[in-house]
Amino acid sequence: MGSVRLMASTRLLCLFNAKAAGSTKTLAKAGWSVCFNRHVCSSPSRLQSCMSAWVIDQYGTNEVLRYTEEFTAPSVVSASEVMIKVHAASLNPLDISMRGGYGAKLLKLRKDPMSVKDNDSEFPLVLGRDVSGVVVDCGSEVTHFFPGDEVWAAVPPWKQGSLAEFVTLTEYEVSHKPKLLSHTEAASIPYVANTALSALVNAGGLCRDSSSNKRVLITGGSGGVGTFSIQLLKAWGAHVTVTCSQNAEGLVRGLGADEVVDYTAGDAAEQLEMMEKFDVILDNVGGETEEWAMGLLKPWSGAKYITLVTPLLVSTDSMGLLDGMFSAGFTLHNKAVQNIISSGVFYRWGFFAPDGPALDEVSRLVDAGKILPVVEAQFPFTQVPQAFQKLEEGHARGKTVVRVAEEDDRQAEELQQDSPAGAAGSEQGVQESAKQN
């Protein structure tokens, strides 16, 4: 299958010749081979370039995942778009939820406002929100990227994902990959980084200059968002407390957590109530957490509770777009008013927001040794269903990465052995890397 992917990659590059001298000359200068052949999909009646991808044609469990070598490859349509050859992707809990239809109505509307009445317009759907790869084509107005650049990005949920050979994004969603990371390592960070930054900065009011000595509690700290947030907040000078299970304590402490509460060793709320109150809570768990976490915040001091587990997409799925959005908005309004009146605490929802410039700052922190990739498991592109299965087991200790490009498969074992950052997938590796930095 590796040779098939290589052929498809070459065939796609051939398509760029149709865009005349501009793109072709740029690709040639960057060392890409350009030819005049074109691959033909068997199903369409007209010529189209195809690529390998994992798709779903309906919502459901792992059985709906389907590998195809005839998925229509993306192209640069907008002047601000960048086309990326995917080297590695990673999975997030959102991918499992989207596979089952979570958020389908609202995300389809965001993708195409004219598709409200079309029940099948979202299929076939490519999942995967993280990408690390190489630029192969750019729109005429792109100024920050050139073919051959190594980049990383988080793919918005309303766009076709990264479990494919190529993906197209706007240049504002893309960032140059950290120099110290392999593609496999880099693919573990963008989505959780954009999610954490959106929550902590936009909803939490924190930043590099305002986090010193702030007390922050992260619930569910051993997953992707949690492990990234710990490192980011420590780089900003905050005091970080984390809840996790006992067997993840070494991991989160190695990433810099100041205090760790084992929720399997008793009532986490009781343990946390004995501590000094917090300025910010980032909730990755949801559910009953809200009932006891609000009382852990400093009253009447501008403290903020941010949850990433919101009812917005669930409500629009079950109640329809208008009723669902109204219901979610009403819930948010009531909780926000109730908490500000009773204790002066701000109640807010956190959401993912694609942001290339924000990833530029993360890239600098990674290259400075302030943030390490936390990769729990790696799978070749042929084993995407197994990667989903691994993620569905829960109790994540970092990210599950899929090596899409053939060269990343060949280098995976060497990277695991030789790369200090790559060792961050294990608790021992995190602790050793943290000591070095």
Side-chain angles (χ1 to χ4, degrees):
M1 192 190 71
S3 59
V4 173
R5 293 204 302 273
L6 183 58
M7 291 171 61
S9 302
T10 304
R11 285 189 289 263
L12 185 58
L13 291 174
C14 299
L15 181 62
F16 298 154
N17 185 72
K19 298 184 69 176
S23 294
T24 303
K25 289 180 179 178
T26 308
L27 285 168
K29 289 179 181 179
W32 294 90
S33 60
V34 182
C35 60
F36 295 88
N37 297 323
R38 181 182 289 182
H39 180 49
V40 182
C41 295
S42 59
S43 52
S45 58
R46 60 189 179 90
L47 297 179
Q48 290 181 317
S49 178
C50 295
M51 67 177 180
S52 300
W54 283 90
V55 303
I56 62 171
D57 301 301
Q58 61 182 336
Y59 296 121
T61 58
N62 225 19
E63 288 70 25
V64 300
L65 291 167
R66 175 175 66 87
Y67 172 76
T68 177
E69 296 176 355
E70 296 189 342
F71 191 79
T72 302
S75 60
V76 171
V77 177
S78 167
S80 64
E81 285 184 330
V82 174
M83 186 173 179
I84 302 167
K85 173 177 170 55
V86 181
H87 281 241
S90 76
L91 301 182
N92 296 274
L94 178 63
D95 292 301
I96 295 176
S97 299
M98 288 181 64
R99 187 196 61 195
Y102 172 74
K105 293 182 179 179
L106 192 58
L107 293 176
K108 184 170 68 172
L109 179 66
R110 174 63 178 81
K111 179 180 179 181
D112 182 6
M114 302 304 294
S115 68
V116 175
K117 296 182 180 180
D118 187 350
N119 293 328
D120 298 321
S121 63
E122 67 265 45
F123 298 118
L125 177 64
V126 181
L127 302 173
R129 309 269 61 89
D130 289 294
V131 58
S132 182
V134 176
V135 174
V136 294
D137 195 18
C138 301
S140 60
E141 295 180 3
V142 173
T143 58
H144 298 292
F145 303 98
F146 300 91
D149 286 354
E150 292 191 329
V151 296
W152 63 347
V155 182
W158 52 87
K159 293 187 177 183
Q160 293 286 25
S162 55
L163 292 176
E165 283 189 279
F166 297 90
V167 67
T168 299
L169 299 168
T170 69
E171 73 168 320
Y172 311 108
E173 297 165 337
V174 180
S175 168
H176 288 97
K177 180 183 74 67
K179 296 179 176 61
L180 294 183
L181 299 187
S182 68
H183 288 293
T184 301
E185 295 161 343
S188 68
I189 294 177
Y191 183 81
V192 297
N194 276 162
T195 301
L197 283 165
S198 176
L200 293 172
V201 177
N202 298 336
L206 297 175
C207 67
R208 179 177 53 190
D209 299 324
S210 67
S211 300
S212 180
N213 299 319
K214 293 286 187 182
R215 289 182 54 80
V216 182
L217 169 65
I218 302 174
T219 64
S222 64
V225 173
T227 53
F228 175 85
S229 299
I230 293 169
Q231 300 181 82
L232 178 68
L233 289 166
K234 292 307 299 179
W236 286 351
H239 181 282
V240 180
T241 301
V242 172
T243 67
C244 64
S245 62
Q246 187 277 332
N247 59 9
E249 181 174 351
L251 171 65
V252 297
R253 285 196 184 278
L255 294 172
D258 297 286
E259 297 181 80
V260 180
V261 173
D262 175 12
Y263 65 78
T264 65
D267 191 331
E270 291 183 0
Q271 299 178 64
L272 291 166
E273 286 172 358
M274 298 174 63
M275 300 179 181
E276 182 183 342
K277 291 189 181 296
F278 299 94
D279 297 288
V280 175
I281 294 177
L282 178 62
D283 181 13
N284 295 287
V285 178
E288 297 179 355
T289 305
E290 289 186 16
E291 298 178 8
W292 52 263
M294 302 301 300
L296 302 174
L297 289 164
K298 297 176 181 178
W300 308 108
S301 62
K304 300 175 181 68
Y305 173 89
I306 308 118
T307 179
L308 294 174
V309 186
T310 77
L312 177 60
L313 296 183
V314 173
S315 296
T316 54
D317 286 339
S318 61
M319 304 171 64
L321 289 172
L322 293 179
D323 289 344
M325 293 178 70
F326 177 81
S327 175
F330 185 74
T331 298
L332 175 59
H333 176 268
N334 280 354
K335 290 186 176 182
V337 170
Q338 177 184 350
N339 284 286
I340 197 68
I341 291 177
S342 63
S343 58
V345 168
F346 294 93
Y347 174 92
R348 293 175 176 173
W349 289 352
F351 296 98
F352 161 81
D355 192 339
L359 288 178
D360 290 341
E361 175 62 23
V362 175
S363 184
R364 286 189 284 270
L365 289 171
V366 171
D367 282 336
K370 301 295 184 180
I371 292 179
L372 303 173
V374 185
V375 178
E376 181 182 21
Q378 300 181 29
F379 292 85
F381 194 47
T382 55
Q383 296 181 9
V384 166
Q386 290 90 326
F388 270 86
Q389 185 177 357
K390 169 67 181 69
L391 186 62
E392 286 185 281
E393 293 173 359
H395 304 290
R397 304 292 179 263
K399 295 295 290 294
T400 297
V401 177
V402 175
R403 303 186 302 271
V404 178
E406 182 179 9
E407 53 266 39
D408 289 279
D409 277 346
R410 293 197 303 265
Q411 296 173 3
E413 184 175 347
E414 178 182 348
L415 287 171
Q416 287 178 319
Q417 294 174 352
D418 298 338
S419 171
S426 66
E427 293 183 10
Q428 182 180 358
V430 168
Q431 292 167 341
E432 291 176 352
S433 297
K435 290 178 181 178
Q436 295 172 3
N437 296 311

